[in-house]
Amino acid sequence: MIQDTVTEELLLRKPRFVSIVFGLACIAFFLIDPSQSAVGHFLAPAIGDPAQSGFYGRFVTSFTLAFLFLVNLVAISLLPEFRYQVIVVWCELLFLFLAFFYSFGLDFKFIQSKIWFMITQGIFTTLYVSAISIVIASVIAIIGAVAKLSSNGFAFAIASFYTSFFRGLPLLMQVYLIYLGFPQLGFVIDAVPAGIIALSLCYGAYMTEIFRAGIMSIDEGQWEGSRALGFNFGLTMRKIILPQSIPLIIPPTGNQFIAMLKDSSLVSVIGVWELMFLARTLGNKTFNHMEMLITASILYWMMTMVLEYIQSRIERKYRKKQKR
Amino acid sequence: MPDKNQNPASPIISIRGMNKFFGDFQALTDINLEVNIGERIVICGPSGSGKSTLIRCINRLEAHQSGSIHVDGVELHQHMKDIDKVRSEVGMVFQHFNLFPHLTILENCTAGPMWVNKVPAEEAQATAMKYLTRVNIPEQADKYPTQLSGGQQQRVAIARSLCMHPKVMLFDEPTSALDPEMVAEVLDTMIDLAESGMTMICVTHEMGFAKQVADRVVFMDEGSIVESNKPIPFFENPQSERTRKFLSQVLVH
């Protein structure tokens, strides 16, 4: 996308828009009734005991909040650079989230005592299960994509049945089916391999479509140029088509990996000691559920941010390479 | 380059009674064409007349449905074993160059010899530089195709084919996608190649090129060969009405 070179006048400079926003914010806050929350507590000098303040307290608190909200908006719009605006808004949202979590009255000692185990056992398991699965899924995806593009009816049928089946069932169902279904055939399978198989097969099916699209997006002339030189199918695929599709395949594959990292929480149902499993079990004994769930959420989020950063680096590298 | 051991008069390509269909549409009808070693053939005709389809059949980028095509004694058909060997001996230059954008110019030229003919890297690079020098762009060897102009890319494509030491070169409208000022450099390269004795089949609208280098000009219309003659009689005394009409249209300017 390109930015237009002409900037319209900021909406926040138009008095009418500002007053409408202010009015709407007032109404919204009024409906929520902030007078009974921490805000009411802060405004006690103005409204007296929040519990007794009634309509007046409700009005004053919501009016104050709406005013602060608007001042904040205008202040951000006055910031000189795009970058500063982004940073400030991020920090504010983060602050609100933390305040929200803080309001639960969490037991931080308890979190401190468990977090090391959550990282060494939980994050470690989550990461290695996801990493092994994405590698297997990529291999499945290449084979599946070639099969789906082939003129061989047998190969196409198997590949399309596979993608249809594994995209059609909830991942949770696949986890159960593999863990509980294989023993019916006489193989007893451990939880971790069962989880890896389920994740690989499911994501392999989605990634088959990604790889197929990547391969198809390469110009037919590349096939012809390659075949005309006497390259056979395998050589053409390996040396000419795939190297050109990979830069197109990498971003959506990174996306899949990030999604898988979180979907790997589903294998907790079969007792794999990954992050989600620990989050559910560690706090059970002492009823510290919220502590563990919030800690695990933040850990997932942090892992995702790291992966997003890595993905953007890889993308930039390929974009540079293509620009040459 | 002509193979000294072979009888120069023997046909390297021989097409007999060939028909080609796209679904129900008959693209080529009863094509008969023999090309001898060292011969330069120019195929011309209005667009949609089947010229490109014909030369694409010669290395079986397209399949023909009946009749026969022999390339250097090997018949092309659906169940043949060694199509890649035939293709490696038949060079092809495309309208849109079809260079590999992820490889450098040098790698484009060494890929075929190294991967197909298992030529050692150093030897392949020496050969590549020889042909890049011949098409006058040795200094671009380490660049990527997109950094070159259209004319330069097409000359690289010619060099890339030559690196396989082909017995025949097929040109599918090699100058049609070029800006006008770049046509000459590609034609010069082709003329140079023709003078070295390469067997060539060129689909082109460049009638000047045809007059200068062709041993035979083949005129096609609606999927059949209408007329085939040496250039001087072809241009000065065309036999069929359709040829006359076509020539009057392309030679006006």
Side-chain angles (χ1 to χ4, degrees):
Chain A
M1 200 174 86
I2 58 152
Q3 294 295 334
D4 204 331
T5 51
V6 177
T7 322
E8 279 183 48
E9 194 195 356
L10 272 184
L11 283 171
L12 281 171
R13 300 279 181 281
K14 294 177 180 163
R16 213 178 116 176
F17 178 79
V18 172
S19 40
I20 289 173
V21 169
F22 182 70
L24 287 176
C26 267
I27 294 170
F29 282 122
F30 191 79
L31 291 174
I32 298 168
D33 188 9
S35 66
Q36 305 307 314
S37 69
V39 185
H41 188 74
F42 274 118
L43 288 175
I47 61 173
D49 181 4
Q52 310 288 317
S53 62
F55 183 82
Y56 170 69
R58 197 169 170 176
F59 178 76
V60 170
T61 44
S62 43
F63 187 86
T64 314
L65 281 178
F67 182 72
L68 286 176
F69 174 69
L70 205 72
V71 168
N72 186 31
L73 274 190
V74 174
I76 290 169
S77 78
L78 287 175
L79 284 172
E81 261 187 60
F82 176 83
R83 195 159 42 117
Y84 295 138
Q85 294 185 340
V86 173
I87 292 172
V88 168
V89 173
W90 258 82
C91 289
E92 283 181 357
L93 289 174
L94 204 60
F95 172 78
L96 287 178
F97 261 102
L98 290 178
F100 173 65
F101 287 147
Y102 191 77
S103 69
F104 294 163
L106 298 177
D107 180 351
F108 287 101
K109 278 235 169 66
F110 182 79
I111 293 180
Q112 226 173 10
S113 70
K114 300 290 184 194
I115 191 158
W116 185 242
F117 186 61
M118 285 187 99
I119 292 174
T120 52
Q121 171 66 38
I123 290 201
F124 177 72
T125 311
T126 294
L127 276 178
Y128 91 71
V129 166
S130 309
I132 295 176
S133 303
I134 200 84
V135 170
I136 301 177
S138 304
V139 174
I140 294 176
I142 293 185
I143 299 170
V146 172
K148 269 205 140 177
L149 292 171
S150 88
S151 54
N152 183 325
F154 180 73
F156 178 84
I158 296 215
S160 53
F161 187 88
Y162 160 70
T163 52
S164 165
F165 182 82
F166 282 94
R167 292 206 301 174
L169 259 62
L171 178 54
L172 186 57
M173 199 78 81
Q174 296 172 27
V175 173
Y176 277 128
L177 283 180
I178 288 170
Y179 187 57
L180 305 174
F182 270 109
Q184 301 284 327
L185 300 174
F187 312 103
V188 175
I189 187 164
D190 279 342
V192 171
I196 289 177
I197 292 174
L199 284 171
S200 311
L201 287 175
C202 179
Y203 275 78
Y206 285 101
M207 283 168 59
T208 295
E209 297 300 319
I210 294 177
F211 276 59
R212 188 181 61 87
I215 290 169
M216 275 177 62
S217 66
I218 302 303
D219 184 49
E220 260 182 36
Q222 293 293 307
W223 282 97
E224 292 185 347
S226 178
R227 300 312 298 270
L229 278 174
F231 297 176
N232 58 28
F233 175 82
L235 202 55
T236 304
M237 203 63 177
R238 252 183 322 117
K239 297 281 200 175
I240 305 299
I241 303 301
L242 279 181
Q244 293 184 59
S245 339
I246 295 284
L248 306 170
I249 290 171
I250 290 249
T253 299
N255 229 2
Q256 292 288 306
F257 185 64
I258 290 171
M260 178 189 274
L261 196 76
K262 282 158 292 156
D263 276 356
S264 70
S265 61
L266 291 173
V267 304
S268 65
V269 297
I270 54 174
V272 178
W273 282 37
E274 45 68 78
L275 197 48
M276 184 67 202
F277 182 83
L278 296 183
R280 282 195 308 130
T281 50
L282 285 179
N284 244 353
K285 229 180 287 171
T286 48
F287 296 104
N288 287 319
H289 297 294
M290 239 355 176
E291 277 84 351
M292 289 295 94
L293 290 179
I294 288 174
T295 311
S297 308
I298 292 176
L299 290 176
Y300 272 120
W301 192 5
M302 279 169 25
M303 278 196 283
T304 310
M305 285 201 280
V306 171
L307 286 174
E308 274 173 354
Y309 176 72
I310 295 173
Q311 190 194 358
S312 73
R313 289 296 294 265
I314 296 174
E315 259 180 66
R316 205 178 312 159
K317 192 183 132 200
Y318 274 111
R319 213 176 306 145
K320 245 188 230 156
K321 236 180 163 182
Q322 277 189 318
K323 266 195 186 153
R324 273 178 317 208
Chain B
M1 267 126 279
D3 193 332
K4 298 278 184 320
N5 298 324
Q6 275 177 290
N7 175 5
S10 74
I12 184 142
I13 291 168
S14 136
I15 303 174
R16 292 203 193 94
M18 190 262 275
N19 293 290
K20 153 103 196 131
F21 297 85
F22 288 113
D24 287 336
F25 173 70
Q26 182 154 16
L28 295 174
T29 310
D30 191 29
I31 301 290
N32 290 289
L33 182 68
E34 298 219 326
V35 181
N36 293 324
I37 288 175
E39 227 183 340
R40 275 98 56 174
I41 311 278
V42 165
I43 304 177
C44 60
S47 64
S49 59
K51 327 177 282 290
S52 288
T53 309
L54 172 58
I55 70 165
R56 287 161 62 85
C57 283
I58 295 174
N59 64 358
R60 213 176 158 85
L61 285 179
E62 302 284 357
H64 58 281
Q65 274 73 33
S66 64
S68 73
I69 302 178
H70 286 82
V71 175
D72 201 19
V74 180
E75 181 173 5
L76 306 187
H77 58 90
Q78 198 180 350
H79 301 291
M80 61 186 301
K81 286 254 157 50
D82 270 340
I83 183 62
D84 291 326
K85 185 161 185 304
V86 173
R87 284 173 178 159
S88 71
E89 289 172 355
V90 178
M92 178 123 183
V93 175
F94 298 89
Q95 184 176 359
H96 295 289
F97 333 134
N98 296 355
L99 294 176
F100 307 132
H102 61 302
L103 302 177
T104 63
I105 299 307
L106 187 65
E107 286 165 343
N108 264 280
C109 294
T110 56
M114 282 171 64
W115 299 341
V116 177
N117 298 341
K118 309 291 175 206
V119 173
E122 281 180 18
E123 191 187 326
Q125 282 168 10
T127 313
M129 287 312 293
K130 185 178 106 189
Y131 286 116
L132 285 175
T133 310
R134 191 157 152 199
V135 300
N136 286 324
I137 32 176
E139 70 283 359
Q140 313 282 7
D142 294 322
K143 289 196 181 165
Y144 286 86
T146 47
Q147 296 173 308
L148 269 55
S149 72
Q152 289 174 323
Q153 290 192 45
Q154 193 59 294
R155 285 185 282 148
V156 172
I158 294 171
R160 176 175 77 173
S161 292
L162 291 176
C163 285
M164 298 293 285
H165 303 298
K167 294 180 176 163
V168 190
M169 286 283 283
L170 308 176
F171 291 85
D172 186 4
E173 304 202 23
T175 56
S176 300
L178 296 176
D179 289 335
E181 76 271 23
M182 295 175 181
V183 170
E185 59 188 72
V186 171
L187 288 180
D188 284 344
T189 308
M190 289 168 64
I191 290 166
D192 175 54
L193 193 61
E195 283 167 357
S196 77
M198 174 63 78
T199 311
M200 292 163 70
I201 305 179
C202 311
V203 170
T204 183
H205 298 292
E206 300 293 334
M207 291 303 135
F209 173 79
K211 280 180 192 162
Q212 191 175 345
V213 306
D215 294 315
R216 233 187 320 155
V217 182
V218 173
F219 174 71
M220 290 183 70
D221 193 20
E222 292 177 353
S224 337
I225 294 179
V226 176
E227 189 164 346
S228 166
N229 211 337
K230 292 196 183 322
I232 295 171
F234 177 85
F235 286 109
E236 288 175 0
N237 185 20
Q239 300 300 306
S240 98
E241 182 53 39
R242 278 191 281 180
T243 316
R244 268 195 289 276
K245 189 163 169 245
F246 175 75
L247 287 178
S248 73
Q249 281 162 344
V250 294
L251 296 177
V252 154
H253 305 290

